[in-house]
Amino acid sequence: GRLLIAADLIYKFYSDTSLFGAIYENQGAIQLGAQYSAGRAKLRMGYVWAENAMVDVPGSEIGDILPPGAVDAVQYIQALSANINPHRLSAGIGIPNFLPGIDLDVYGGGMFGARDTFGLSSADVSTYFLGGGLTWRFGRGSGCNIAPNNWCRANGRGCGGCSSCGG
């Protein structure tokens, strides 16, 4: 039908890395998304819940590097790289064949505010974003009458079944 619902479970193994393993714990996240086709437009919405990934009691090293200030320096780096926002929301719209062979996508969203303290340092983080993209399709599927009919379902209409000509 017109509604597509998706879910992802993600687990990030920060402990397998030298830099991130020193400041982040392994992190689990759940991503939920929906897309509804309304005419030519595809309306999209997503939500993410993610665990706070910050190490509660960091060591004095990052990988093999011992920064001046030891634990205080590592906590300062944690505050600069805070991965603490548990709730994230996004929405967007996609228009296939906005121009022949070109799809348009625009989106926006944000991570709701969160605050955490790392020794003498703290982080108060809210993030908002806007973006967009254009997708150019080349060859088959890029527009009507571009792909030979024998590549598609033969129904006597243009390319024989591509979405741009409704066949």
Side-chain angles (χ1 to χ4, degrees):
R2 298 170 148 203
L3 182 63
L4 171 67
I5 296 175
D8 290 316
L9 298 175
I10 296 174
Y11 194 75
K12 298 178 184 178
F13 291 96
Y14 289 121
S15 61
D16 290 346
T17 67
S18 295
L19 169 64
F20 294 124
I23 60 175
Y24 297 148
E25 295 177 347
N26 293 340
Q27 181 186 42
I30 300 169
Q31 299 180 155
L32 305 172
Q35 174 179 282
Y36 181 77
S37 296
R40 282 185 57 202
K42 296 176 186 281
L43 307 173
R44 300 179 181 122
M45 181 170 251
Y47 171 78
V48 175
W49 174 84
E51 292 178 303
N52 182 333
M54 305 313 293
V55 170
D56 289 331
V57 181
S60 58
E61 295 182 3
I62 297 177
D64 294 333
I65 299 170
L66 180 60
V71 174
D72 288 340
V74 174
Q75 289 174 327
Y76 177 72
I77 291 168
Q78 281 185 302
L80 292 176
S81 307
N83 186 355
I84 58 176
N85 303 75
H87 303 287
R88 304 157 192 193
L89 191 62
S90 63
I93 185 169
I95 302 173
N97 282 320
F98 178 71
L99 297 172
I102 299 174
D103 299 344
L104 172 69
D105 292 285
V106 293
Y107 57 90
M111 295 188 286
F112 301 111
R115 182 172 175 77
D116 205 346
T117 302
F118 309 96
L120 301 173
S121 303
S122 65
D124 191 352
V125 182
S126 296
T127 304
Y128 304 97
F129 55 87
L130 294 171
L134 295 173
T135 303
W136 281 268
R137 287 175 278 111
F138 299 97
R140 180 176 180 210
S142 62
C144 270
N145 298 319
I146 292 178
N149 281 339
N150 64 351
W151 288 9
C152 307
R153 294 175 302 209
N155 67 1
R157 291 187 62 196
C159 63
C162 73
S163 62
S164 61
C165 57

